Amino acid sequence: MTLLVAFAGSANLSDCHADKPNIIFVLADDLGWSELGCYGNGFNETPHLDQLANDGIRFTQAYAAAPVCSPYRAALLTGQHPARIGIIDYLRPNSANALSTSHTSLPEVLAQNGYSTGMIGKWHLTGYEHHLAAHEVKPGDHGFQWDFAREVKGVGNGANFWPYVFRQQPIRWLDIPDKVLGDNEFLVDRMNNEAVKFVRRNRDQPFLLYLSHYAVHSILNGKPDLVQKYRDKHPPGKSSRERCYLCQDNGHSGDSLNHWASDHNPHLAAMLESIDDGIGMLRKEVKELGIENNTIFIFSSDNGGETKVTSNQPLRGGKSQLYEGGIRVPLLVSWPDQLPKQRVSSFPTINTDFYPTLLEAANVASPATQVIDGQSTLTEWREPDANYPDRTLHWHYPLDQPHFLGGQSAGAIRRGNWKLIEFFGSRKSELYSLDADVSETTNRAAEHPELARQLEQELATWRINVGARTPSPPLLIQPRQLSFADHFSEGQVSPRWFFNKDWSVENETLTRSDTGTGNTRIFLKETEFQDAMIRFDFRLGDAQDLRLVTGSGGHYNSIIHIRPDHFFLQTAKDPDGPYFSYRHGECTFPFDPNRWYSMTVEFLADELVAHLDPDHIAYAQHPIIDKQRMYFAFQVDDGAAQIDNVQILTGTKRPDAKTEKPSVIAQAAKHPVTKTLQEEHVIEKINAHERLYQNDPEYRRLVAQVDRLDQEKIERFPSVFRSHKQIHQSVSDLKKKLHAEDAKYKELLFATYRVAREIEGYIIAQHPEHASLPPNQQKERLEKWRDALNQSPTEQAPEYFGLLENQQAKQQDLETTYPQLFLSDENINQSRKTERERLKNDPLFRACVGQRAAAWQAQQNYLLTYDKQLSELERRMTDSQGR
C-alpha cells in the first residue's frame, strides 16, 4: 500500500504541470570543451555528467557568445548578442554598465507564466556597491524570485571555503550569511546543497533553477582530499606562475600546492568532481520527487578553459580568444520522454539560443518587446540526427589592449564550416575550415581571398545591423581608474547630469530634443580630471555640430567638434594663459547620420588626441590643454542627436607613447578637410594671431596696446563700448541688489513665479504620466506638452490661455516698472548707435577711436608681414578677387 501511494504521488507530481517543464541550468565557469570524460578527458572524473550525456544529447559544436563571462551571461538571460546589449567584455568591479532592466529577461518571462525562479552563484552582470559602482543590479531585478551565494565584490580569489574571505579583505565576497556544512564548508558543496533544497521546495510548481558555479575559475582551490587524489593519479604539470597567494598563506613557497599547474591540475579536477557530485545530487532529487521526466536538465560552460591551468586540445587557444578553444563549450541536454538518449549532435548552436528554445519548450511566447538574436533549437534537440542547413554565427570582442590571458581585439564569423577571425589591431584576418582543421592550424585566407573578403563584409554588415560598437584603442594613454560612466540604462542614469528642457534619456540614450533652443549644452556636475581617456558613442541625426567641451578655472578650453563630414579640435581663449582660440588638427570622415560611432579622446599633459579608429585621428598640442579639468559638457546645435556610453577614465602615459607619437601625428595629417579659400583664410588668421602672440614679443606688445586702448574706450565712453556681456552682467548685478533691497521688485518678480508655477501645474494635471517619468525626461517632456498647447486653438484650452495672458500681464508689470532690467540685444545696439551719433564730433571720442584703429591696423599689418602662411593666403585672396 505504501508503495502504491508513493507511486501515485509521483505520477501526480509529474503530470501537474506537464505543459511547463522544470528547467535546471547548471553553468560552470571557465570549463573547457575537453574537460569532461564524455568529451574524451581521461584525467578528470565526471561520472554523473557522463551519465547525463548518455541520457540525452551531447553537443560537439556548442558555442559561447563571447570568450569571457559577463557577455555570455547577458546573452543567456536576454537572447541577444552581447554586441547588441553593449556588454562585450567582463564587467569590472566598479563598472556602471550593469545589465539594463529594460530587457525582459528569461527568468522574468518564466516568472510571469507561473514559474518559480531561483539562482545560485555567480551573477557578474553588474558593478558592486562595495567597489563604489554607481549602480548595482541584482538577480531580483531581472526576474529571479530567490537567489543565493551571489557575489558582492570582485570574484576569482580562491576563497572557496568558509568564511569565504580572501586574505586580509574586510568582508565575505559572497552573499552567504552562515555556514551549514561544517567549519570547512566548501563553496561548490554549499551551492549544490542549496540547489537540491530549491528543487525540493518547488516540487509542486514549474521552476527554473540557474545554478551558476564559480568553479573552475582561477584561483583554483579544491577540497584537499580530492586534490590529493588527483595528485596521486598523475603528477601535476609545471606551474604557470611563480607566485601563489594561497601557497604563501599556507607557509609554502612558489606554487608547491599546484594551484597553477598548467596541465593535470589537481585543483581543477577536484573542483570539477565537486560540480559533478552536485549533478548527481540534483538528478537523484528530481528522480525521487517523480519529476525527472518533466525536467529539462542542461549543463554548459560560459567560455573556454583558462590556458594557464589547462589545455583545450584539440582546440586552439582558450578563454579570452576567438579561436575555438575560447568559445566552443561543452553542452549536455537531457529531457526524458521528450528528447532522444545517447545522441551526439554536431549542430552549431550558441547560448543566445537558450532563450527562445526554453520558452518554446515551456509553451510560452517570446515577449514582443524583446529583440531575439538566438533561434529556437528545440527541433534540433528533438531530432539531433537530422541534416540542417548551414548556419552563420558571429562574435564581437573589441579590446583596448590584449587580454592578460592572450586574447586580442577581434571579431569572428562562422558560416557553415568556414570560420574567419578578423583582428582589429593588425587588421588581418585568418580563415579556417573547421571540418578539416578543428585545431585551426592552417590559415587559408591567402588560398581563398574572395571567400575571406565575403566573410569580412558579412561580419561588417552584421555589426551595423546589431549596433556593435568598436571603440578605437588608446594611442598615447594607458587608462587606469574609471572616474565616471553612464550607459543611460533604465533606472541607472547618473544624477550628476544637469538636464534642461532640451535633453532627456530616451530608449537608453542621451537624446537632444528636436525642439527647443539652439546650441544647447548638457553639463556633468562634480567632475575633475586631468590626464584621462574619454569615450562616448554618438549618432549625429540631423545635427550639424556636436561638441565635447571641457575646461577649467571657469573657462572652457578644449573642444572636440564633430560635423557631418569631418571632426576637429579647437582650444579656446583663456585670459589666465593668456591664450587665444586656435584651430588644431582635423580629419575628414563621412558620417552616416543614422549610424552609431565611438569617439575616443585622450588628454595627456599638453596633448589632445581624438580618434574614431587608428586611421582617422585629430591631434593637438597646446599649453592650455595641460590643466586640471572641472568642466565637462556636450553641446549640440538645433538638430537632434544622440549620445551613449559616456566614460571618463584617468590615465598615465603609455610606455611606448614616445615611440608611437610620430606615427600618430603623421596619421593625423592624412585626412585633411577640403575648405574654400575664404574658410582657410578665416582659420589661418585666428591661428596666426595665437601663434605670433605666444612666440613674438613685438606682436604681444602690439596686442597689449590694442587691449589698453580698448579698455580706455570702455572707461571713457561706456555707453558706446561696453560689450553685451558686460552690460548683461551689470543688469544681473542690479537684479540681485533689487532682490535684496527693493520690496516692490521682489513682489512683482514673485508674482511672475507664481503664475509660471500655475501654468506648469496646469500642464502636469493634463498629463498625469508626468509623475511616473524619470527626472531625466520631465523637463523635456513638459516643454513638448507646452509647445503642443501653444499651437492648439484657444477654445480647446481656455484655462491655459487665460493663465498665459495673466503671465504676460505680470511680466509686463515687472518690465514697465523696471525697464532698465530688460535690455534686449536690439535695445543695446540701438542705444550704442544713438550714443555714437551723439559723440561723433567730440574731439576726445574721435581721438580715442582713431588711436585704437591705428593700433589695430598696426597689429594686423604685423600679422600679415610676419606670418607667411597668412600672407600667402592673403595674396591668393587678392588674386582671386582681382580675377
Side-chain angles (χ1 to χ4, degrees):
M1 179 64 71
T2 302
L3 290 175
L4 288 174
V5 170
F7 180 82
S10 297
N12 289 337
L13 286 172
S14 63
D15 293 340
C16 64
H17 49 81
D19 62 330
K20 294 191 183 305
N22 307 306
I23 302 166
I24 298 177
F25 194 111
V26 182
L27 186 68
D29 193 1
D30 294 355
L31 182 69
W33 180 77
S34 56
E35 300 289 5
L36 307 184
C38 56
Y39 281 85
N41 193 290
F43 177 64
N44 302 327
E45 297 179 16
T46 54
H48 297 295
L49 284 163
D50 298 344
Q51 186 60 48
L52 178 66
N54 191 62
D55 291 341
I57 307 166
R58 177 172 66 87
F59 288 83
T60 60
Q61 299 193 63
Y63 287 96
V68 289
C69 52
S70 298
Y72 176 99
R73 295 159 199 276
L76 172 67
L77 295 186
T78 64
Q80 293 186 355
H81 196 281
R84 188 187 297 277
I85 300 166
I87 297 178
I88 49 182
D89 196 6
Y90 71 93
L91 298 183
R92 276 55 172 179
N94 66 340
S95 175
N97 195 19
L99 182 63
S100 172
T101 55
S102 64
H103 292 287
T104 307
S105 67
L106 176 63
E108 188 176 352
V109 179
L110 292 174
Q112 292 168 356
N113 285 273
Y115 274 74
S116 176
T117 56
M119 176 185 166
I120 300 170
K122 185 172 180 178
W123 177 237
H124 209 169
L125 288 172
T126 185
Y128 309 106
E129 293 172 0
H130 177 78
H131 294 284
L132 304 181
H135 308 279
E136 183 170 349
V137 173
K138 300 175 182 178
D141 300 316
H142 278 285
F144 285 108
Q145 299 155 338
W146 172 83
D147 71 277
F148 181 83
R150 167 181 45 85
E151 75 275 9
V152 298
K153 61 185 299 298
V155 304
N157 55 37
N160 297 335
F161 296 87
W162 179 265
Y164 309 118
V165 175
F166 184 61
R167 310 195 92 194
Q168 304 303 313
Q169 292 183 357
I171 64 169
R172 269 193 290 278
W173 64 277
L174 294 159
D175 184 20
I176 298 181
D178 50 25
K179 63 180 185 292
V180 298
L181 300 179
D183 291 341
N184 294 319
E185 177 179 282
F186 183 58
L187 178 57
V188 177
D189 291 347
R190 178 66 186 275
M191 291 169 62
N192 290 338
N193 182 269
E194 296 295 334
V196 169
K197 290 195 288 187
F198 174 85
V199 169
R200 195 173 298 149
R201 287 196 306 272
N202 292 280
R203 58 191 290 179
D204 295 327
Q205 65 183 110
F207 62 79
L208 164 68
L209 171 62
Y210 175 34
L211 174 55
S212 176
H213 283 291
Y214 297 95
V216 292
H217 190 295
S218 63
I219 302 172
L220 299 173
N221 191 16
K223 291 192 289 188
D225 57 335
L226 290 178
V227 171
Q228 190 57 50
K229 166 187 168 181
Y230 286 100
R231 281 201 195 101
D232 295 340
K233 185 174 183 179
H234 191 287
K238 182 180 178 181
S239 175
S240 62
R241 292 183 62 169
E242 295 180 359
R243 187 177 183 185
C244 170
Y245 296 121
L246 297 176
C247 296
Q248 290 177 358
D249 293 347
N250 285 279
H252 296 266
S253 61
D255 183 34
S256 56
L257 298 180
N258 313 122
H259 293 280
W260 294 98
S262 55
D263 63 82
H264 296 90
N265 190 301
H267 289 274
L268 190 154
M271 296 177 81
L272 181 54
E273 182 171 329
S274 295
I275 291 175
D276 187 77
D277 287 343
I279 300 296
M281 292 165 60
L282 284 167
R283 298 197 73 201
K284 179 182 178 184
E285 185 68 23
V286 297
K287 185 173 185 178
E288 290 180 350
L289 292 174
I291 58 175
E292 179 183 25
N293 290 344
N294 198 35
T295 298
I296 301 173
F297 205 119
I298 302 169
F299 177 83
S300 193
S301 175
D302 63 347
N303 48 250
E306 182 180 328
T307 53
K308 289 185 179 295
V309 294
T310 190
S311 166
N312 297 294
Q313 290 180 353
L315 307 182
R316 179 178 179 179
K319 177 181 178 178
S320 84
Q321 298 175 305
L322 292 183
Y323 293 116
E324 293 292 287
I327 53 177
R328 195 182 288 207
V329 293
L331 173 61
L332 310 175
V333 179
S334 170
W335 188 7
D337 295 343
Q338 293 287 335
L339 304 183
K341 298 181 179 182
Q342 299 179 344
R343 292 293 197 277
V344 176
S345 172
S346 60
F347 177 76
T349 181
I350 194 165
N351 71 294
T352 52
D353 294 340
F354 287 120
Y355 189 112
T357 302
L358 292 174
L359 289 186
E360 184 181 356
N363 296 302
V364 173
S366 294
T369 56
Q370 182 75 4
V371 174
I372 306 297
D373 291 317
Q375 69 178 48
S376 175
T377 56
L378 190 59
T379 298
E380 288 76 10
W381 285 12
R382 286 180 167 145
E383 302 175 28
D385 299 327
N387 291 321
Y388 296 99
D390 286 346
R391 189 177 182 193
T392 301
L393 304 176
H394 308 84
W395 291 265
H396 185 61
Y397 186 54
L399 297 172
D400 280 342
Q401 59 188 8
H403 192 282
F404 64 89
L405 292 175
Q408 299 180 54
S409 185
I413 179 172
R414 174 176 173 170
R415 189 180 72 189
N417 285 312
W418 286 102
K419 178 184 170 188
L420 178 133
I421 305 176
E422 179 185 9
F423 294 95
F424 299 146
S426 65
R427 299 185 219 180
K428 295 181 179 179
S429 295
E430 297 176 2
L431 180 67
Y432 298 101
S433 176
L434 294 180
D435 56 341
D437 182 20
V438 72
S439 300
E440 296 172 295
T441 59
T442 304
N443 177 11
R444 301 179 69 182
E447 183 182 344
H448 300 280
E450 185 59 32
L451 175 59
R453 280 192 293 271
Q454 288 177 6
L455 292 175
E456 286 172 351
Q457 185 55 52
E458 285 185 36
L459 186 56
T461 301
W462 171 82
R463 283 196 291 263
I464 293 172
N465 290 339
V466 299
R469 321 286 166 82
T470 309
S472 182
L475 301 172
L476 301 178
I477 205 164
Q478 180 73 42
R480 294 297 184 190
Q481 296 297 319
L482 181 67
S483 173
F484 172 81
D486 200 336
H487 301 270
F488 305 104
S489 297
E490 186 174 276
Q492 300 175 42
V493 179
S494 173
R496 288 170 57 185
W497 294 108
F498 185 83
F499 281 91
N500 59 37
K501 63 184 180 181
D502 299 318
W503 296 86
S504 64
V505 173
E506 305 285 345
N507 299 318
E508 305 208 321
T509 62
L510 178 63
T511 301
R512 191 263 196 259
S513 173
D514 56 2
T515 59
T517 57
N519 287 321
T520 182
R521 293 184 185 179
I522 183 166
F523 301 89
L524 181 64
K525 298 176 283 186
E526 302 169 9
T527 186
E528 186 172 351
F529 61 94
Q530 189 160 356
D531 289 350
M533 184 181 81
I534 296 170
R535 276 239 177 89
F536 62 95
D537 299 340
F538 64 93
R539 182 159 57 184
L540 276 179
D542 59 355
Q544 299 300 299
D545 185 43
L546 185 157
R547 307 178 189 182
L548 170 65
V549 185
T550 68
S552 56
H555 306 281
Y556 64 86
N557 53 38
S558 303
I559 307 103
I560 294 88
H561 287 260
I562 303 172
R563 294 183 177 171
D565 59 354
H566 70 286
F567 61 98
F568 67 92
L569 308 180
Q570 181 180 354
T571 51
K573 183 176 180 179
D574 184 351
D576 292 342
Y579 303 113
F580 296 93
S581 294
Y582 196 91
R583 178 81 166 260
H584 296 270
E586 57 188 15
C587 180
T588 295
F589 192 91
F591 291 103
D592 181 337
N594 298 312
R595 273 189 62 186
W596 282 97
Y597 298 91
S598 292
M599 180 66 78
T600 300
V601 180
E602 301 175 50
F603 289 95
L604 183 63
D606 64 349
E607 295 176 282
L608 169 59
V609 189
H611 43 107
L612 291 167
D613 54 49
D615 286 335
H616 296 88
I617 302 170
Y619 174 83
Q621 186 168 23
H622 194 282
I624 197 174
I625 298 171
D626 194 8
K627 287 194 171 187
Q628 191 78 4
R629 272 162 281 275
M630 294 164 283
Y631 181 98
F632 183 102
F634 288 105
Q635 177 174 314
V636 180
D637 62 11
D638 55 3
Q642 293 173 290
I643 296 166
D644 199 4
N645 298 323
V646 178
Q647 300 176 73
I648 305 174
L649 297 101
T650 62
T652 57
K653 182 184 289 188
R654 280 177 47 166
D656 60 350
K658 186 175 181 179
T659 56
E660 288 296 316
K661 180 178 171 180
S663 63
V664 169
I665 295 174
Q667 185 61 43
K670 290 184 177 179
H671 299 282
V673 177
T674 302
K675 294 182 282 289
T676 65
L677 186 58
Q678 290 77 10
E679 289 171 335
E680 284 189 67
H681 183 267
V682 169
I683 293 170
E684 183 54 36
K685 192 170 186 180
I686 292 170
N687 286 0
H689 175 62
E690 166 66 352
R691 256 195 322 266
L692 255 68
Y693 187 87
Q694 299 302 330
N695 298 292
D696 189 322
E698 176 58 19
Y699 186 72
R700 281 199 296 273
R701 186 190 68 77
L702 292 172
V703 172
Q705 175 75 351
V706 173
D707 289 345
R708 183 182 64 78
L709 292 172
D710 277 338
Q711 188 59 35
E712 284 185 12
K713 286 195 310 180
I714 294 169
E715 291 172 357
R716 291 182 179 182
F717 304 100
S719 59
V720 176
F721 295 116
R722 276 197 309 164
S723 68
H724 283 64
K725 184 176 181 180
Q726 289 169 325
I727 293 170
H728 288 309
Q729 183 59 53
S730 66
V731 170
S732 178
D733 293 341
L734 179 57
K735 285 180 179 179
K736 291 177 183 177
K737 186 174 186 297
L738 291 172
H739 188 277
E741 300 175 0
D742 189 328
K744 177 68 173 175
Y745 171 75
K746 196 170 181 178
E747 177 188 341
L748 292 174
L749 179 66
F750 278 36
T752 66
Y753 290 168
R754 282 192 294 272
V755 71
R757 285 196 295 271
E758 288 181 51
I759 291 173
E760 186 173 297
Y762 174 86
I763 298 172
I764 291 173
Q766 311 309 306
H767 297 275
E769 67 269 28
H770 181 271
S772 62
L773 289 174
N776 58 64
Q777 291 182 7
Q778 289 180 344
K779 291 180 181 178
E780 186 265 351
R781 201 60 49 85
L782 188 64
E783 188 65 18
K784 283 188 174 179
W785 294 332
R786 188 193 307 272
D787 288 344
L789 273 172
N790 288 338
Q791 295 169 22
S792 64
T794 304
E795 59 271 18
Q796 285 187 7
E799 184 180 349
Y800 172 73
F801 285 100
L803 288 169
L804 279 186
E805 288 181 13
N806 189 24
Q807 183 185 43
Q808 292 165 1
K810 299 296 184 186
Q811 185 66 27
Q812 186 61 41
D813 287 345
L814 183 62
E815 294 184 19
T816 302
T817 310
Y818 298 92
Q820 70 274 31
L821 302 181
F822 301 94
L823 298 177
S824 67
D825 287 347
E826 184 180 347
N827 295 147
I828 294 170
N829 290 337
Q830 185 58 47
S831 175
R832 281 180 178 162
K833 184 177 179 181
T834 301
E835 279 296 290
R836 183 180 285 272
E837 183 66 24
R838 185 180 68 81
L839 291 167
K840 68 179 181 179
N841 294 319
D842 185 313
L844 287 176
F845 179 78
R846 297 181 64 178
C848 186
V849 172
Q851 289 172 5
R852 196 274 178 188
W856 183 83
Q857 190 59 55
Q859 176 194 328
Q860 297 303 300
N861 291 340
Y862 194 93
L863 192 63
L864 282 170
T865 302
Y866 290 96
D867 191 278
K868 294 181 179 180
Q869 291 172 256
L870 182 61
S871 178
E872 173 61 19
L873 284 169
E874 188 82 10
R875 183 192 63 76
R876 290 169 57 195
M877 287 274 290
T878 302
D879 291 346
S880 67
Q881 291 167 0
R883 288 195 296 270

